[in-house]
């Protein structure tokens, strides 16, 4: 595919909703054969800008040129016809699970105005295989899409887009639902698209991915562009955060001081299968122990053991000197250990229910009398927690599914605030959360530690673990490779240990 280097130009784009300015004179230039990261906290305007680019919104002012020609898309289908496509996290919504891979790849081709009304199954398969080969994707074209993994579905959607002579592809948090290996496959395809001349817009909260893969970066804040230029001139991750927030990482994620007390939680020789291989861990009152490691290190499996979601093959869990063997999460909660799991939408909250009801679920016995829930007590609880955590919701009655990822996470944390838990286990608490909400979550966790709670913070974001932890335990292959006091280890050293390095190898 041969594309002009300057594929798209957006100039002085403005957009308002009910008198509130969402975009204020935004410029964006996309070049063929580049990965262009678009960054910003929630509310910065990046989603609005991309919806204008993809035809979902009309612009109030400004101009947009595609390959030098002024365009104003009448809708997403019009944008697709011009070669502008979007890939969202929820790839299932864009695919038909009952159809084959080949049929899904060719779906847009069949829907084009003036397209053939029928293409033989053989031709459909051959054309789909040709597109998949361009992406170096090996998925049988006769398989039903319903049988594929999330990563494979994403590849099928990319193949469909590429078959339409894509000029611009917008990727909105594409790696959020993927494992480490799946994300590596995605980035291989992303670079294939780049090499074929496509202009790729990459939206993510994972700044290390930007550092590893982007060519250029545009950062938005409050509806304006505050930085645009080559990645190398952005000042690294600290510079990107400073552009996004107007503050440095240390300023935005301050460490809340807390008095470290007696041992609350002690784990000895904990084992489960090949994922957790004899872990020893100690957490004191008021202490945040950050367990850091790469994806697949066994962090989530260890978190599940602490929370009672799985039973260990061997080892002990002691809380305040008393040994427990949890048969289910309710046993852990009763003992005083609660969990904020990684998959919050599946395990941490009930997305179809209200904020108010989610916050009251662990306290039903305290909020009811003779089996009847007190609406007044439930409302009072919700108002206290919403205020304490700064949960942004138009009403306590609003269903949780309508909240942002950061506010959903606050609900997942908030439901435990009045349960009297001694230890809180956080598994990847900032996954899919924007940089502004991360700051709020850091403060909430810091305040919990200041109240004398013991915190176990599992994360694959090494910088976050080092930023929040009083102690840092590096996990690799189901074991703790080393435990360090705050300030004793750098991010580079943490990555070294997390990758299987040993102390005697480190100069």
């Amino acid at each position: 595919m041969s594309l002009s280097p300057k594929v798209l130009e957006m100039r002085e784009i403005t957009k308002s909703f009910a008198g509130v300015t969402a975009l204020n004179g935004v410029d964006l230039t996309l070049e063929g054969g580049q990965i262009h990261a678009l960054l910003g906290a929630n509310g910065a305007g990046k989603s609005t800008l991309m919806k204008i680019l993809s035809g979902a919104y009309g612009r109030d002012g400004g101009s947009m040129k595609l390959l030098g020609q002024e365009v104003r898309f009448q809708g997403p289908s019009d944008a697709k016809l011009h070669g502008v496509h979007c890939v969202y996290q929820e790839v299932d919504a864009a695919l038909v699970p009952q159809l084959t891979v080949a049929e899904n790849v060719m779906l847009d081709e069949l829907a084009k105005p003036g397209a053939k009304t029928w293409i033989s199954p053989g031709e459909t398969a051959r054309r789909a295989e040709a597109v998949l080969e361009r992406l170096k994707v090996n998925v049988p074209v006769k398989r039903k899409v319903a049988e594929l993994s999330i990563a494979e579905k994403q590849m099928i959607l990319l193949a469909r887009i590429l078959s339409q002579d894509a000029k611009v592809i917008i990727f909105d948090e594409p790696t959020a639902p993927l494992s480490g290996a799946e994300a590596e496959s995605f980035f291989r395809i992303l670079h294939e698209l780049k090499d074929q001349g496509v202009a790729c817009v990459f939206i993510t909260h994972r700044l290390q991915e930007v550092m590893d893969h982007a060519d250029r970066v545009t950062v938005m804040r409050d509806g304006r562009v505050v930085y645009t230029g080559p990645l190398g001139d952005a000042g690294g991750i600290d510079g990107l955060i400073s552009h996004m927030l107007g503050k440095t990482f240390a300023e935005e994620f301050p460490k809340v001081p807390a008095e470290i007390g007696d041992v609350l939680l002690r784990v000895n020789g904990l084992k489960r299968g090949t994922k957790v291989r004899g872990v020893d861990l100690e957490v004191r009152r008021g202490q945040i122990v950050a367990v850091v490691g790469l994806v697949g290190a066994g962090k989530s499996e260890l978190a599940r053991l602490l929370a009672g979601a799985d039973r260990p093959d061997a080892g002990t869990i002691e809380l305040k000197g008393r040994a427990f063997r949890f048969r289910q999460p309710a046993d852990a909660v009763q003992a005083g250990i609660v969990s904020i799991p990684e998959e919050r939408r599946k395990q941490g909250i009930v997305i179809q229910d209200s904020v108010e009801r989610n916050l009251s679920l662990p306290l039903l016995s305290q909020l009811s009398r003779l089996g009847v829930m007190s609406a007044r007590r439930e409302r009072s609880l919700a108002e206290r927690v919403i205020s304490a955590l700064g949960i942004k919701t138009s009403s306590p009655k609003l269903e949780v599914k309508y909240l942002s990822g950061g506010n959903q996470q606050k609900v997942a944390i908030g439901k435990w605030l009045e349960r009297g838990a001694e230890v809180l286990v956080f598994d990847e608490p900032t996954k899919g959360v924007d940089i502004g909400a991360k700051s709020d979550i850091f403060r909430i966790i810091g305040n919990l530690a200041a109240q004398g709670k013991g915190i176990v913070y599992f994360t694959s974001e090494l910088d976050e673990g080092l930023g929040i932890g009083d102690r840092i335990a590096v996990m690799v292959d189901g074991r703790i490779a080393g435990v360090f006091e705050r300030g004793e280890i750098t991010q580079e050293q943490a990555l070294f240990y997390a990758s299987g390095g040993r102390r005697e190898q480190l100069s």
Side-chain angles (χ1 to χ4, degrees), residues 193-321:
L193 292 166
K194 168 188 167 177
D195 292 344
Q196 294 181 32
V198 177
C200 301
V201 183
F202 180 44
I203 301 172
T204 183
H205 295 314
R206 298 176 176 179
L207 298 184
Q208 189 58 55
E209 292 181 345
V210 175
M211 299 302 299
D212 292 342
H213 300 284
D215 299 299
R216 291 181 65 83
V217 180
T218 292
V219 182
M220 296 184 66
R221 189 170 72 238
D222 299 328
R224 298 175 181 271
V225 171
V226 294
Y227 172 82
T228 190
L231 176 67
D233 296 342
I237 288 180
D238 285 344
L240 292 175
I241 291 173
S242 182
H243 287 307
M244 291 166 72
L245 301 169
K247 303 175 183 178
T248 66
F249 185 87
E251 289 171 333
E252 186 59 25
F253 300 112
K255 186 76 173 73
V256 179
E259 183 178 340
I260 308 299
D262 298 332
V263 174
L264 267 179
L265 178 72
R266 181 177 281 119
V267 175
N268 291 305
L270 208 60
K271 297 181 181 179
R272 181 175 170 86
T274 60
K275 295 294 186 180
V276 181
R277 308 185 187 196
V279 167
D280 297 334
L281 200 65
E282 194 176 87
V283 183
R284 293 177 174 272
R285 193 177 294 279
Q287 187 178 55
I288 301 173
V289 175
V291 181
V292 303
L294 305 179
V295 172
K299 301 186 305 300
S300 290
E301 290 79 6
L302 177 57
R304 288 178 61 83
L305 291 174
L306 297 181
D310 293 325
R311 298 186 196 179
D313 299 331
T316 59
I317 298 173
E318 296 180 9
L319 187 64
K320 293 193 292 189

Side-chain angles (χ1 to χ4, degrees), residues 22 28 58 80 131 165 213 330 358 377 416 473 502:
L28 180 68
K80 287 182 181 180
V131 179
D165 189 30
H213 300 284
N358 270 273
R377 290 180 184 175
W416 299 119
R502 296 188 300 275

Side-chain angles (χ1 to χ4, degrees), residues 14-289:
T14 61
K15 182 70 177 178
S16 297
F17 298 97
V20 178
T21 300
L23 298 175
N24 190 349
V26 172
D27 293 347
L28 180 68
T29 299
L30 303 178
E31 297 183 6
Q34 281 195 344
I35 299 170
H36 194 127
L38 180 62
L39 306 177
N42 280 356
K46 59 186 187 296
S47 293
T48 302
L49 184 66
M50 290 300 97
K51 285 179 178 178
I52 290 173
L53 173 55
S54 63
Y57 290 165
R59 60 185 184 269
D60 295 341
S63 65
M64 186 161 68
K65 291 182 178 180
L66 186 67
L67 298 178
Q69 299 296 312
E70 180 74 25
V71 290
R72 183 182 286 271
F73 302 139
Q74 301 305 307
S77 59
D78 188 23
K80 287 182 181 180
L81 290 174
H82 283 81
V84 179
H85 299 260
C86 289
V87 177
Y88 298 105
Q89 286 183 41
E90 296 80 11
V91 291
D92 284 322
L95 299 172
V96 182
Q98 296 82 6
L99 297 182
T100 65
V101 167
E103 289 164 339
N104 271 277
V105 170
M106 300 306 298
L107 205 56
D108 282 351
E109 180 69 23
L110 293 169
K112 267 187 178 180
K116 291 182 181 180
T117 56
W118 183 78
I119 301 177
S120 72
E123 184 182 353
T124 299
R126 284 192 297 273
R127 291 169 67 176
E129 284 174 342
V131 179
L132 289 170
E133 189 175 339
R134 284 175 64 189
L135 289 176
K136 300 180 182 176
V137 172
N138 184 24
V139 179
V141 296
K142 293 184 179 179
R143 281 183 69 186
K144 293 286 177 64
V145 162
E147 301 170 5
L148 304 182
S149 69
I150 290 291
E152 289 172 328
K153 289 176 182 177
Q154 198 175 67
M155 293 173 189
I156 300 313
L157 181 56
L158 287 173
R160 181 203 292 174
I161 289 171
L162 191 60
S163 74
Q164 303 303 301
D165 189 30
K167 298 175 178 63
V168 176
I169 304 179
I170 303 162
F171 296 90
D172 189 2
E173 294 286 348
T175 60
L178 304 182
S179 69
E182 289 172 337
E184 287 179 12
S185 295
F186 164 78
F187 284 118
R188 179 184 61 75
I189 292 175
L190 182 64
H191 284 276
E192 289 283 345
L193 292 166
K194 168 188 167 177
D195 292 344
Q196 294 181 32
V198 177
C200 301
V201 183
F202 180 44
I203 301 172
T204 183
H205 295 314
R206 298 176 176 179
L207 298 184
Q208 189 58 55
E209 292 181 345
V210 175
M211 299 302 299
D212 292 342
H213 300 284
D215 299 299
R216 291 181 65 83
V217 180
T218 292
V219 182
M220 296 184 66
R221 189 170 72 238
D222 299 328
R224 298 175 181 271
V225 171
V226 294
Y227 172 82
T228 190
L231 176 67
D233 296 342
I237 288 180
D238 285 344
L240 292 175
I241 291 173
S242 182
H243 287 307
M244 291 166 72
L245 301 169
K247 303 175 183 178
T248 66
F249 185 87
E251 289 171 333
E252 186 59 25
F253 300 112
K255 186 76 173 73
V256 179
E259 183 178 340
I260 308 299
D262 298 332
V263 174
L264 267 179
L265 178 72
R266 181 177 281 119
V267 175
N268 291 305
L270 208 60
K271 297 181 181 179
R272 181 175 170 86
T274 60
K275 295 294 186 180
V276 181
R277 308 185 187 196
V279 167
D280 297 334
L281 200 65
E282 194 176 87
V283 183
R284 293 177 174 272
R285 193 177 294 279
Q287 187 178 55
I288 301 173
V289 175

Side-chain angles (χ1 to χ4, degrees), residues 471-494:
R471 301 189 89 196
I472 294 88
V474 183
M475 194 168 184
V476 58
D477 294 332
R479 297 184 174 90
I480 301 297
V483 179
F484 306 86
E485 297 301 321
R486 181 176 179 82
E488 278 188 350
I489 186 172
T490 66
Q491 189 172 337
E492 291 75 19
Q493 290 169 336

Side-chain angles (χ1 to χ4, degrees), residues 356 367 369 373-384 397:
E356 183 177 86
L367 299 174
R369 179 173 295 176
M373 175 71 78
S374 167
R376 179 182 59 79
R377 290 180 184 175
E378 186 177 34
R379 171 58 67 91
S380 177
L381 168 71
E383 289 175 347
R384 287 197 303 274
K397 299 291 187 184

